[in-house]
Amino acid sequence: MGTSHSSSRTSKDSNGQYSGTSNSKYASRNNSVSTLDRHPQNSNASSSSPTTSNNSSSLHKALSRRRSSNRTAESGSSHASSGHNNALLQYQHESQPLPSTQEEGEGDFKWLHGRRYHNTGSLYMLPNDSQEVDRLHTQHYIFKAAIEKNIHVPIPENGRVIDFGCGPATWAMDMATEMSTINFVGVDISPIYPTAIFPRNCNFYNEDFVEGVSQPDGVFDVVFQRNVTCGFTFENWQKAMKEAFRVLKPGGYYECVESDITVENAGPQTNVVFEHLRMSMAARSVDPSIVRSLDRLMAAAGFKDIQVKEYMIPVGDWGGKVGQLWKQNMFAILDTVRPHLAKAARISESQVQEIVNAMHQETVAFKSHQIIYVTYGRKPL
């Protein structure tokens, strides 16, 4: 089995060196950011253990339930999801019907290489069809198994949570079934969230949170945001944080979960592919490395008590079930963005595919992995 964990880093000593020990090269960082510089402090967070058979079993069961009961617009099957408590609401997931031709959804969607995309000014480069919705469902459960939780910040009883960029709302609905007394709101530029059947403590809105949501000031206890890196410029990040600050109650929390798309311990072909991906993103003024500095952006936006945690997710069979599924997820994304990679590298799509094919063996030989950055802070009282 591979490992999927975070570990604690102790504070710096007088010589500027980190004291104590760490269970991993990659550590959870608890940072005080009253200034824009990082000042690591002692962390009380316990180190997560390596991925265990129990985690893999739980992940397998979650995915099996989703696959056996998921109702998508193309398959027409039903989806039921239950929380850890049998008394919690069970629901079926019914996505909005997807148009079968370009003419049917011409005002809302656009098509490229047989895939359906947002027909908006968004820089987000991934599609929004049923195939992508299914990938996002699976990705949610990978995150949950690898990080061993859905959220890091506290949610008060009878609190309110808004999910910026909710997508198909897998996270929001999973949380809603586990926390039936909490009200969840999801917003997204693309209406791929459920419109018919969902937990009674959920509501969804077709809105661009970068440009501002319809919610009033100071009404939420938590703002959650995940996986928007590939569509965000520096200015987008600033606007999102300003909007999160606006809708939060004093003392409320803002949590971001992101990857900088870097593959650690990567082989030569993997490095080539991801360099082309970064070039493609740079052409749209998107810089994924910003996610390593979200604590500084949060501080500049007015947030306090900011912390950063880093989680290693293995890529490939060496990482057990989580590694297998994360590799599958990564290659599904690369298949989708192949036209962008070809354009950035000025080569054919078939040449890109040859390089991507070579990556499969590299994930085994090099034991590749990626880092997930979880950054959260609190709006002052």
Side-chain angles (χ1 to χ4, degrees):
M1 296 295 292
T3 60
S4 175
H5 65 280
S6 72
S7 59
S8 299
R9 179 187 293 176
T10 56
S11 60
K12 287 184 178 178
D13 60 24
S14 59
N15 296 319
Q17 300 298 317
Y18 286 102
S19 59
T21 60
S22 174
N23 293 337
S24 171
K25 172 183 176 183
Y26 305 99
S28 297
R29 298 174 294 164
N30 292 341
N31 301 333
S32 171
V33 287
S34 54
T35 67
L36 295 187
D37 293 326
R38 295 171 184 263
H39 298 289
Q41 299 175 334
N42 287 331
S43 171
N44 295 323
S46 60
S47 300
S48 302
S49 60
T51 305
T52 63
S53 59
N54 287 339
N55 274 351
S56 295
S57 176
S58 298
L59 176 62
H60 178 73
K61 290 177 181 178
L63 292 174
S64 296
R65 285 197 302 270
R66 183 188 61 76
R67 281 193 295 264
S68 65
S69 59
N70 184 38
R71 178 174 183 180
T72 65
E74 293 176 350
S75 67
S77 58
S78 61
H79 172 119
S81 175
S82 60
H84 294 303
N85 190 327
N86 292 331
L88 296 182
L89 172 68
Q90 297 190 6
Y91 63 88
Q92 289 182 313
H93 171 213
E94 182 175 309
S95 299
Q96 181 175 0
L98 305 182
S100 58
T101 67
Q102 184 168 355
E103 291 73 25
E104 277 187 77
E106 190 170 5
D108 299 318
F109 312 113
K110 59 184 177 183
W111 277 256
L112 178 65
H113 298 276
R115 301 296 301 273
R116 196 190 74 173
Y117 291 80
H118 318 275
N119 192 19
T120 69
S122 170
L123 297 174
Y124 190 73
M125 64 194 303
L126 297 178
N128 68 351
D129 52 20
S130 292
Q131 184 177 339
E132 174 65 5
V133 166
D134 202 45
R135 186 193 69 79
L136 290 170
H137 284 319
T138 302
Q139 181 177 260
H140 164 73
Y141 289 106
I142 302 173
F143 270 111
K144 188 175 182 180
I147 298 177
E148 299 182 335
K149 61 184 71 177
N150 270 332
I151 197 164
H152 293 72
V153 301
I155 304 175
E157 187 175 357
N158 300 316
R160 300 192 72 213
V161 177
I162 185 168
D163 183 2
F164 278 3
C166 67
T170 323
W171 178 88
M173 293 192 295
D174 191 17
M175 288 287 288
T177 58
E178 293 180 355
M179 308 179 75
S180 59
T181 65
I182 309 301
N183 179 260
F184 290 87
V185 173
V187 296
D188 202 284
I189 60 172
S190 189
I192 58 174
Y193 41 76
T195 58
I197 303 175
F198 46 84
R200 61 166 85 71
N201 53 329
C202 281
N203 291 283
F204 304 105
Y205 300 90
N206 184 197
E207 297 178 341
D208 183 353
F209 64 89
V210 172
E211 298 304 322
V213 298
S214 58
Q215 304 293 325
D217 296 354
V219 294
F220 289 99
D221 299 283
V222 172
V223 174
F224 181 81
Q225 182 180 310
R226 187 169 72 185
N227 293 339
V228 301
T229 306
C230 66
F232 260 33
T233 65
F234 180 79
E235 292 74 19
N236 290 150
W237 279 111
Q238 290 179 311
K239 288 182 178 180
M241 290 188 178
K242 181 179 180 180
E243 184 66 357
F245 196 90
R246 180 187 72 81
V247 300
L248 278 171
K249 299 175 183 177
Y253 285 89
Y254 178 39
E255 178 172 328
C256 297
V257 182
E258 299 289 342
S259 167
D260 66 355
I261 78 169
T262 300
V263 179
E264 305 285 348
N265 288 354
Q269 300 304 318
T270 303
N271 282 329
V272 168
V273 169
F274 278 86
E275 180 57 30
H276 291 160
L277 181 57
R278 277 185 284 270
M279 290 168 57
S280 176
M281 296 170 77
R284 305 188 328 277
S285 300
V286 173
D287 179 8
S289 69
I290 289 176
V291 305
R292 299 195 296 268
S293 302
L294 292 185
D295 52 351
R296 300 185 182 189
L297 290 180
M298 281 191 184
F303 291 95
K304 304 296 182 182
D305 301 329
I306 299 167
Q307 297 188 43
V308 179
K309 294 184 182 294
E310 300 175 8
Y311 293 89
M312 184 188 80
I313 299 189
V315 180
D317 294 348
W318 75 272
K321 187 66 175 179
V322 168
Q324 293 168 9
L325 288 170
W326 192 254
K327 175 184 175 181
Q328 183 182 26
N329 181 66
M330 186 176 76
F331 278 91
I333 294 173
L334 292 177
D335 183 64
T336 300
V337 301
R338 187 169 60 240
H340 298 283
L341 298 176
K343 182 178 180 180
R346 297 183 180 180
I347 59 179
S348 68
E349 289 188 39
S350 60
Q351 289 174 300
V352 171
Q353 189 59 50
E354 289 177 6
I355 299 173
V356 171
N357 290 341
M359 288 175 55
H360 285 275
Q361 287 304 314
E362 289 187 348
T363 60
V364 177
F366 292 85
K367 290 191 174 181
S368 304
H369 54 272
Q370 290 189 296
I371 304 299
I372 301 302
Y373 298 85
V374 179
T375 309
Y376 52 94
R378 182 178 59 84
K379 181 176 179 177
L381 293 170

